[in-house]
Amino acid sequence: MIPEALSIGRAVVSLRLLLPIASVAVGLAAVWFLLGRDRAELRKLVLDRLTTAGFLFFLVWKATPIVTRFETIRREPLLILYAPGGTVGLILGVLAVVGYVGYTVVRTRAAAESPSVPAVDVVRAVVLTGVSSLVAYAILFAVIAVVSASGAGQASARVGDPAPSIELETLDGGTFSLGDASGRPVVVNFWATWCGPCRAETAVKSALAEQFAGEAIVVGVNLTNSETGPGDVARFAEEWDVRYPILLDRTGRVAAAYGVRGTPTTVVIGADGTVHARIFGAMSLDAGARAVRAALR
C-alpha cells in the first residue's frame, strides 16, 4: 500500500490523485518521443485529442460539486478548489469525453474531410499511450510503495489494523473514548480550522451524522496543537453549524497514532474495533456513506 498523501512542508498532496495524473503525463510524453518527428501530424492529432479529453474530464469532475453541493460552494466559493467530484463527477466526466469524441467524429465527417492520417495509426497511437501510462503507473506505484515501506516508522492504523485508542476532551468540556461507541462504527475525521478542504467537507460530516444517527457515530478530531487555541475551534464550530462532537487533540498524540499526514483524513472504525476505511481529502457524501454502510455489515 502507498500512503494517501505526500507532505511537503505544510502542503499536502494526495498521492491517489497525483499518481494517475503523473502516469498519464508520462504516457503522453513517451508517445510523443516514440512517434518521432516523421509522424508529427499523427502525434499532434493524438496528443491534442487526448489532452483535450483529459482536461475536459477533469474540468467536469471538478465542477460537479457546484451542483451537488451548491449551498456549501455558494457559502465559500473557494471550496471548489478542494471538493472532489465523487461518483457523479466521474460519470459526468466520462459522458463529457464521449460527447467530445463523438462531436469531433461528426464534425470531421460533416466537413467531408479526407483524413491524412489513417484511422488504424490513430488507434495504435492511442493504445500505445494507454500502455505507456499503465507501465508508468506500475513503476511509480512500486517506487512509492518501496520508499514508503523503507521509511515507515510508527504504525499508521492501516485498514484491517486494530484502531488505536482515543480518549480526548470534547469542545464542550466533556470526554470521548471509543468505548462510548457501544458497538457502533465510528467515523473519525482529523481536521483543522486553517485547512481549506476541511471546510469543504464540514457539511458532509454533519449530513453523515444525521443520516446514520443511532447506527454510527461521527466525531471530528481537531489538531488543536496546530491552532492558536480552542477559541478558534469554537468559533469555527458555531460559524459552520457543526452537528457532531469535536474532540481536541491538544498534543497531536492521537493524530500521530493514526498516521495522519495531512488534513482532512477520515478513518472509519468498525464495531469490531478495527479500521475499515481511510479517506484522505475532502470526502463526498456518497463516499462517506459507502464507507459507513460497509462498516455496518
Side-chain angles (χ1 to χ4, degrees), residues 136-273:
Y137 184 92
I139 293 174
L140 290 173
F141 186 96
V143 170
I144 293 173
V146 170
V147 172
S148 175
S150 64
Q154 58 185 346
S156 60
R158 298 177 183 273
V159 173
D161 289 350
S165 64
I166 297 177
E167 188 166 351
L168 292 170
E169 174 191 355
T170 62
L171 185 60
D172 60 8
T175 58
F176 175 88
S177 68
L178 289 181
D180 298 333
S182 302
R184 290 173 290 175
V186 182
V187 178
V188 183
N189 176 265
F190 294 89
W191 69 286
T193 61
W194 44 261
C195 162
C198 298
R199 295 172 176 264
E201 68 173 12
T202 299
V204 170
K205 289 176 288 188
S206 293
L208 281 177
E210 292 181 358
Q211 182 176 342
F212 293 97
E215 298 180 89
I217 297 175
V218 177
V219 297
V221 177
N222 174 259
L223 306 187
T224 317
N225 60 323
S226 69
E227 308 276 8
T228 58
D232 289 344
V233 185
R235 284 188 290 272
F236 180 94
E238 182 178 359
E239 177 186 356
W240 285 84
D241 189 25
V242 175
R243 303 172 190 172
Y244 48 86
I246 292 180
L247 316 184
L248 304 177
D249 190 4
R250 295 179 182 271
T251 64
R253 176 186 59 81
V254 173
Y258 278 83
V260 176
R261 300 191 62 185
T263 54
T265 294
T266 302
V267 179
V268 180
I269 303 171
D272 58 357

